[in-house]
Amino acid sequence: MTTPTNPQEYVLRDKLIQQLATIYQGIELEQSYEDIAQSLLDIMELSSTSEIQKPYTNHWSEKDIILITYGDSIIKDEQPPLQTLKTFLDATIADTINSVHILPFFPYSSDDGFAVIDYSSVNESLGTWQDIEDISRDYHLMSDLVINHCSSRSAWFDNFVKGEGQGSDYFFTALPDADLSEVVRPRTSPLLKEVETGNGKKFVWCTFSHDQVDFDFRNPEVLKAFTSIIKQYLDAGVKIFRLDAIAFLWKVPGTTSINLPQTHEAVRLLRTLIESAEEHAIIITETNIPNTQNLTYFGNANEAHGIYNFSLPPLLLNTLLTGSCLYLKRWLMCMPPSQDGTMYFNFLASHDGIGLRPAEGLLDDSEINTLVRTVENFGGKISWRTSDAGEQKAYEMNISLYDAMQGTVEGKDEWNFERFICAHAIMFALEGIPGVYIHSLLGTQNDYQKLANTHHNRSINRHRWDEDELATALADNSLHHAKVLNTLKSLLNIRINQPAFHPNATQFTLHLGLQLFGFWRQSRDRKQSIFCVSNITNQPLQLPLAELNLIITESWIELISNTVISELTEEITLEPYQTVWIANNVALK
C-alpha cells in the first residue's frame, strides 16, 4: 500500500483499506482488506485511484430548509400518495423549502417504516421509484438508511431462519448467558429473541423490538449489501442520507454496545463512499443520545456532515413552558461552533416524540418530571425505558408540537399560537439547518383516533391528512392551520435571504436575563449582523436596545415586522412570545 505525502492525496482504495483495518481489527475474515475495498469500489462504480474529497467543504447555505414527512402524510383517493405529496410540495412550499425528507418509503412490517422488509423497493401503497425520482429532480431528497436492523419478515431474515442463502449470516446473535448487563438501549423489551433456525437455536439481538432484528456488521458481506443499497439510492436522486439508529451499529457483549469505536469508523467509511460517488451528497446521523455523546459523531469533520440537534426540542419546550431560558442558555453557550464541512440539523418535532435522553445532564430530574407532567396534562403520552439501575425512566414525550404549546407549567392559556411560532422563530435563526415536520408546518394536533387504533404512543403525532380535508382546514379562517402555515413560511422566506443565517455563520449568546432569550449571528463575510431576541414569557417585556450594542453608523431593521429601528438607545416592547430579528445590510424577499 502506498503512503502518500499529503493526506488529501490518498487514493480512494488506500483510504478504504485503512478504514476497513480499523473496523475489523482482531476479527478473522475470509477476505483481505484489499479485496473488500475493491468490492466496495466496484459496487459504487468508483476508480481505485480516485482522489479523496476535501474536508471542511460546506454543501449548504442559508437557503436550505428540510421538510420532514411521511410519503403518505397527505392522501387522495385513487392517487399514489407520493404523487399527492409532490402536488402539495409544488403548490405550497416550493417557493420556500428546497429539501424534503421522506421517511422510510419501503415495504415494512412495523414501526411506521423502520422495520424494512425490502430496501430495494418502494412501498406499493405509496408509489414507485419514478415518483421518488420525480421529487428528487425538484428538491434535495433526504432518505433514511435504516442500517442497524431490518424486519423479521425480510427475505434476509427468512434465509437466516432457513440457515442458507443471502442473509443467513447477516444477523447478530449472542448467548443468553453472555454479559449483557451494560447494554444501553431505548426499549424495555427483552434484548434477545429466540429463533429456531436451520443451524439450530439462535438468540438474535433486537435493540428496538423483536420485529426489528439487528445486523452483524462483523460480517463484511453486510457492509457490501448496504453499499449496494446506497448506490441504488444515489442513482434514484437521494442526496442526503439519514443514518437511522447508527449509534447501536456495532455490538460487543460486556460493553454498552453504543457509540463503539467501530461504529464511528463505519460512519467515516460510509462518508468516504458516499461523497466519493456524489460530491454534494451528505450524511446526517440520527443519534438520540445525551448531548456530549451526540457531538462525537462530527469526528474531526470526517464523520457525519450533520448531526440531529436532539437537545434542542426538550430544552426549548422547557424554556417556553417555564418562562425561563436558564437551561437553554447554558446549553447554547457550551455548544461548540460547527466546523466548516459540518452542521447542526435543528428540529423541534418529528415523526418520533420529544426525546428526553438528550436532556440528561442538561435538565435536572425535577425539571424533567415537571415537563413530563405538563405534557401529560396537555394530552400527551410518555414512552419509557429501563435505566442502568433497572428503573423506569421517561424516554420521550409523544405529543403534537402545537398541542405541547397549549400553555405553561401553570396550565393552559390563550397563547398557544404565539408560543408555537416563537419556538420556530428561535429555531429558524439558530446556527444550523432547520428541519420542519409537516405536522408543525400545518399546525396538526394530537391524533387520538390513530393512537386508539394502533396503541402506539408515537401515532399521536403521525396524522394522515386527506387532501380535501386539508384544503378545507387551510381555507377556514376560524382554524389556526392556515395562519401557522403562512406565518412559518413568512419567517422562512426572511431567513433564506439573510447571509447571517448561514448554517455556519458566527453565533454568540446574549445576556438579557432569563425572560428574554437572545443570540447574535454574523455572516461569514462579517457584513451582516442579526440580533435575535424572544420574549419567552406570557407577559410584555421591555428590550433595551442599548443592551444589543447596535453600531450607530449602520442602518437597522426589524426583519419580521419590516420596521426601521431609528432610535438605538430606546426600549421596545416585546409582547408575549414575540420574537425580533434586528439586522443591518438587509435583503428582504
Side-chain angles (χ1 to χ4, degrees):
M1 185 174 67
T2 60
T3 303
T5 57
N6 184 329
Q8 291 187 10
E9 295 174 357
Y10 280 19
V11 293
L12 182 56
R13 183 171 176 270
D14 289 342
K15 183 173 184 180
L16 290 173
I17 290 169
Q18 290 184 345
Q19 292 174 324
L20 291 167
T22 301
I23 294 170
Y24 295 111
Q25 183 178 9
I27 297 177
E28 186 174 340
L29 302 176
E30 294 182 0
Q31 287 185 296
S32 68
Y33 300 142
E34 289 81 0
D35 288 344
I36 298 170
Q38 190 59 53
S39 294
L40 299 179
L41 290 169
D42 291 343
I43 292 168
M44 297 294 284
E45 299 179 6
L46 293 167
S47 167
S48 63
T49 58
S50 298
E51 290 188 2
I52 305 305
Q53 293 294 325
K54 293 181 179 179
Y56 311 113
T57 300
N58 297 326
H59 300 290
W60 43 79
S61 75
E62 61 275 10
K63 298 188 181 299
D64 290 309
I65 314 291
I66 300 177
L67 180 73
I68 305 166
T69 181
Y70 277 105
D72 59 355
S73 290
I74 306 172
I75 57 174
K76 181 180 181 179
D77 288 344
E78 300 182 1
Q79 183 177 65
L82 286 171
Q83 294 179 18
T84 306
L85 175 63
K86 179 66 161 57
T87 299
F88 170 81
L89 296 175
D90 292 346
T92 310
I93 60 96
D95 59 339
T96 306
I97 297 176
N98 66 357
S99 308
V100 58
H101 172 202
I102 305 177
L103 289 153
F105 46 80
F106 321 105
Y108 70 95
S109 56
S110 64
D111 198 17
D112 279 2
F114 287 92
V116 179
I117 294 175
D118 180 5
Y119 290 87
S120 64
S121 300
V122 173
N123 189 333
E124 290 182 356
S125 68
L126 296 178
T128 65
W129 277 114
Q130 184 61 56
D131 297 320
I132 292 294
E133 291 174 18
D134 288 345
I135 292 173
S136 72
R137 274 194 296 271
D138 294 328
Y139 304 88
H140 302 312
L141 179 60
M142 177 170 168
S143 173
D144 291 274
L145 190 67
V146 186
I147 195 169
N148 179 71
H149 52 262
C150 71
S151 168
S152 64
R153 289 172 48 192
S154 67
W156 287 345
F157 195 70
D158 285 345
N159 288 342
F160 173 82
V161 173
K162 289 187 292 186
E164 59 183 19
Q166 184 183 15
S168 60
D169 54 356
Y170 278 16
F171 298 94
F172 196 95
T173 61
L175 296 174
D177 60 357
D179 180 9
L180 307 177
S181 61
E182 300 298 318
V183 174
V184 173
R185 52 196 294 261
R187 298 291 186 269
T188 58
S189 57
L191 175 62
L192 300 181
K193 172 183 179 177
E194 183 178 333
V195 180
E196 290 291 344
T197 78
N199 294 319
K201 183 181 295 184
K202 302 288 184 181
F203 295 88
V204 182
W205 192 290
C206 301
T207 298
F208 291 91
S209 77
H210 282 190
D211 187 41
Q212 294 165 294
V213 285
D214 283 30
F215 290 110
D216 186 355
F217 272 84
R218 295 174 303 181
N219 178 0
E221 294 304 314
V222 179
L223 176 61
K224 293 178 189 178
F226 271 93
T227 302
S228 295
I229 292 165
I230 289 168
K231 181 64 168 68
Q232 180 181 4
Y233 294 0
L234 284 168
D235 289 345
V238 173
K239 291 294 188 293
I240 309 170
F241 289 81
R242 176 187 183 270
L243 303 189
D244 177 65
I246 189 68
F248 303 97
L249 186 76
W250 201 271
K251 306 98 165 67
V252 177
T255 73
T256 60
S257 293
I258 188 172
N259 307 322
L260 296 185
Q262 296 91 333
T263 293
H264 283 282
E265 194 64 40
V267 174
R268 296 185 192 110
L269 184 146
L270 292 172
R271 172 172 175 159
T272 299
L273 290 171
I274 288 170
E275 67 183 6
S276 296
E278 170 52 60
E279 179 183 358
H280 298 292
I282 65 173
I283 61 176
I284 300 179
T285 49
E286 187 268 336
T287 47
N288 192 355
I289 52 181
N291 189 54
T292 53
Q293 298 175 30
N294 191 28
L295 289 168
T296 64
Y297 283 87
F298 277 144
N300 183 22
N302 61 351
E303 288 191 39
H305 295 90
I307 62 171
Y308 272 71
N309 214 348
F310 273 109
S311 295
L312 179 61
L315 290 177
L316 187 47
L317 182 61
N318 174 78
T319 294
L320 291 166
L321 298 192
T322 63
S324 169
C325 64
L326 173 63
Y327 297 96
L328 180 63
K329 186 175 173 180
R330 282 180 179 172
W331 167 75
L332 197 65
M333 291 172 62
C334 294
M335 288 292 281
S338 54
Q339 299 182 71
D340 281 342
T342 68
M343 54 80 181
Y344 292 109
F345 181 58
N346 295 324
F347 71 107
L348 298 180
S350 72
H351 62 291
D352 289 340
I354 300 170
L356 290 172
R357 286 219 72 201
E360 292 176 8
L362 302 173
L363 293 176
D364 60 36
D365 287 345
S366 64
E367 290 286 334
I368 291 177
N369 291 337
T370 298
L371 192 57
V372 165
R373 287 196 302 271
T374 303
V375 166
E376 286 182 311
N377 290 338
F378 294 160
K381 303 296 179 182
I382 308 299
S383 296
W384 302 87
R385 70 178 181 90
T386 303
S387 72
D388 295 342
E391 300 173 331
Q392 294 292 292
K393 298 195 71 173
Y395 171 70
E396 70 177 15
M397 302 176 292
N398 304 109
I399 191 170
S400 81
L401 188 63
Y402 194 82
D403 279 349
M405 301 284 183
Q406 289 180 71
T408 70
V409 292
E410 302 298 325
K412 295 182 181 180
D413 60 25
E414 71 273 25
W415 300 106
N416 194 168
F417 173 81
E418 290 81 5
R419 191 179 292 111
F420 180 80
I421 297 300
C422 179
H424 285 86
I426 292 172
M427 189 262 282
F428 292 165
L430 284 170
E431 174 188 358
I433 292 178
V436 185
Y437 189 35
I438 191 169
H439 293 305
S440 293
L441 191 71
L442 300 173
T444 309
Q445 296 178 273
N446 291 336
D447 189 336
Y448 294 111
Q449 181 175 348
K450 189 169 187 178
L451 175 64
N453 291 339
T454 66
H455 304 289
H456 295 304
N457 286 350
R458 287 177 170 175
S459 296
I460 200 170
N461 193 28
R462 296 177 178 179
H463 181 67
R464 185 176 294 149
W465 281 98
D466 175 81
E467 186 185 53
D468 292 337
E469 173 195 15
L470 178 59
T472 299
L474 292 175
D476 188 342
N477 292 331
S478 68
L479 302 176
H480 65 272
H481 303 286
K483 190 177 179 184
V484 165
L485 174 64
N486 293 332
T487 305
L488 292 184
K489 283 187 61 179
S490 177
L491 290 172
L492 288 172
N493 279 325
I494 296 171
R495 175 201 157 84
I496 62 179
N497 286 285
Q498 312 308 321
F501 284 150
H502 186 284
N504 297 92
T506 298
Q507 175 174 289
F508 284 109
T509 307
L510 301 176
H511 298 283
L512 303 170
L514 298 181
Q515 296 183 311
L516 291 174
F517 175 66
F519 50 93
W520 171 70
R521 303 294 309 278
Q522 185 183 55
S523 61
R524 294 164 63 79
D525 62 7
R526 299 186 179 181
K527 292 181 179 179
Q528 185 186 46
S529 290
I530 304 180
F531 293 87
C532 310
V533 182
S534 297
N535 177 358
I536 47 90
T537 78
N538 57 12
Q539 300 295 321
L541 294 175
Q542 297 300 310
L543 169 63
L545 292 179
E547 295 289 327
L548 303 183
N549 296 320
L550 303 179
I551 298 174
I552 196 169
T553 56
E554 298 279 354
S555 297
W556 296 91
I557 294 177
E558 199 291 294
L559 293 172
I560 297 174
S561 63
N562 194 21
T563 302
V564 174
I565 304 293
S566 55
E567 295 295 333
L568 304 188
T569 58
E570 69 179 2
E571 290 188 345
I572 60 174
T573 301
L574 295 188
E575 298 299 329
Y577 305 106
Q578 181 183 353
T579 294
V580 291
W581 292 343
I582 299 174
N584 64 350
N585 290 321
V586 172
L588 286 173
K589 186 175 179 180

